[in-house]
Structures are given as structure tokens and as C-alpha cells.
Amino acid sequence: MGIPSTPHLTRGLVVIQPLKHQRCSACRRGPLSLLVLENGAPRCLSCADLGHLVLLPRGDTALTRRSREESVLSAVVVRFNRRKGRYERQGVLVEEAALVRAEERCLADAEARRRRRARDARRRGVEDERFAASFAAEILRLFPGCPAERARAIAAHASVRGSGRVGRSAAGRALSEGAVISAVVAGVRHVDTPYDQLLMSGVSRYEARRRIAPAVEGVLREWQGAGEEDAG
């Protein structure tokens, strides 16, 4: 009949997507889009008592697994790949009601995952706000003359989750003095000096930093000196 031998499966029914036109050997209907081999003869799904099943194409592993769990009767659909010389799965046939129940289960899981992601996002947001506040407080401890708004802005920028900035480093998470100072220096460099303009004009990063170093040091001394004056 021009149909290669079907793959050996230890369990379950196998339905074939034929590569050539085939007719049912019982009712003579055809060409068949799907068929079952019985004693080497092709049968349409109706004659094989599988006509009430619906096709679920491959691609969604969870839906396929649950559809087969929900379906009393199911079959694997395969098609022969000439180039590879083997049958390959194309999907499954399951009861329509079982597919509906499986889809409902998957939708419920998707909603649960969405809610969990939302909860996790809220939790991370609270954690990030607390950390940014701690980072800003440490900035103000080291640089008491720094305006509170600037301290909050520097802390927020340095501690953005996934940014790779100093606030997300191990030292930054530990609020080490070096990490906090590095964040403040970066903030001053970009806001209080012409550093960005120098880079845009073609000046190398190292040369630009050399040029603006006195201005950065001046701002840092001013922010640090305010605390010393208050202590005096």
C-alpha cells in the first residue's frame, strides 16, 4: 500500500498521516488525511472507531500531557519523514471533552503563574525600595552635605535590579564604603561636570575623567565638609 512499517510502540494506538493518497479498505472513502493500519490494510478513523477524536497538534507539551490524562481513548499521530527514514510525531488524537478540560487546567495554571509573578514583583519592589533607602542613608552618612534628593537619586540609579551597577554588586549589597563612594562619584561625574559632553565630543573616557577629576573632588569635599562644620 506504499505505507512504511509503523514504529513499534509498547503502549497506545498509532494513527498515520499518509504521504500518498489512500482509501479506506472497508468503506472505500478517501483520500484519507489520517488512517489506521489493521493487519496491513488502511482504515479511516470512523471504521477504526476513532472518528469521535479530535487532533491536537504537537507543540504544547503540557496541554498534550493533560489531554491524554483526561482522555479515556487517545492515539499518537505520526508521519513518515523520507529524508530521515523514520516516523515522527505530529500530535495526538483525544476526546474533545478531554481537550476542553485540559485547556481549562492549563489556563488555571497560567493564571496561577501570573499571580505568582505579580506577587514576586511586588516583593522585589519592596525589597528594592528598602535597599535604595538604606543606600541613600549610607550616602548621607558619608556625605552629610549631599542634598537628600540627590542621595536618593544616586541610590536609585546605582541599585536598579539587573543593571550591573555598583549597587547590585556584592560590595554594593553589603553597603561597603567603597561601593557607596563609587556610586556617588559616578553620580557627580555625570550630573555636576561636563563629562558626558566631553565623551560626546570625542574625548576618550580616560582623558575626560582626568579633566573633570578636580570638579568631582570639589563636590565630594563640599559634601563631606558640611558634616565636619556641623561637628565643629
Side-chain angles (χ1 to χ4, degrees), residues 53-144:
L53 303 182
V54 295
L55 175 63
L56 172 61
R58 66 179 182 181
D60 190 326
T61 303
L63 182 59
T64 296
R65 173 175 54 80
R66 287 174 170 173
S67 295
R68 298 192 72 179
E69 291 172 354
E70 294 284 351
S71 190
V72 175
L73 183 64
S74 66
V76 176
V77 178
V78 298
R79 182 171 61 204
F80 191 73
N81 185 319
R82 288 196 180 99
R83 182 173 61 83
K84 296 181 179 179
R86 66 172 184 241
Y87 276 96
E88 295 179 338
R89 295 188 178 222
Q90 304 301 308
V92 293
L93 290 173
V94 294
E95 296 163 348
E96 188 170 7
L99 178 57
V100 171
R101 291 193 297 271
E103 288 173 336
E104 290 173 349
R105 289 172 61 187
C106 288
L107 287 173
D109 274 2
E111 177 63 17
R113 287 194 298 271
R114 185 192 67 78
R115 291 179 179 176
R116 184 168 61 249
R117 286 194 298 269
R119 288 195 303 271
D120 290 344
R122 288 193 295 270
R123 174 182 53 77
R124 288 192 299 269
V126 171
E127 292 174 352
D128 289 349
E129 289 178 5
R130 289 174 178 170
F131 175 67
S134 298
F135 203 97
E138 187 63 12
I139 290 174
L140 292 174
R141 185 185 72 81
L142 295 172
F143 300 94

Side-chain angles (χ1 to χ4, degrees), residues 1 3 15-38 41-48 78-79:
M1 307 297 279
I3 303 176
V15 172
I16 298 172
Q17 285 185 349
L19 301 179
K20 298 180 180 180
H21 288 179
Q22 298 285 334
R23 289 186 177 276
C24 177
S25 59
C27 68
R28 305 307 301 167
R29 283 184 296 181
L32 302 176
S33 59
L34 295 172
L35 60 85
V36 176
L37 285 180
E38 291 184 347
R43 296 282 194 276
C44 68
L45 295 188
S46 294
C47 291
V78 298
R79 182 171 61 204

Side-chain angles (χ1 to χ4, degrees), residues 189 195 199 202-212:
R189 183 186 296 135
Y195 178 69
L199 293 180
V203 177
S204 71
R205 182 166 60 92
Y206 296 107
E207 175 60 18
R209 289 193 176 192
R210 187 190 66 80
R211 294 186 190 182
I212 57 94

Side-chain angles (χ1 to χ4, degrees), residues 186-200:
V188 171
R189 183 186 296 135
H190 289 287
V191 175
D192 300 285
T193 77
Y195 178 69
D196 292 348
Q197 291 88 337
L198 291 173
L199 293 180
M200 287 298 293

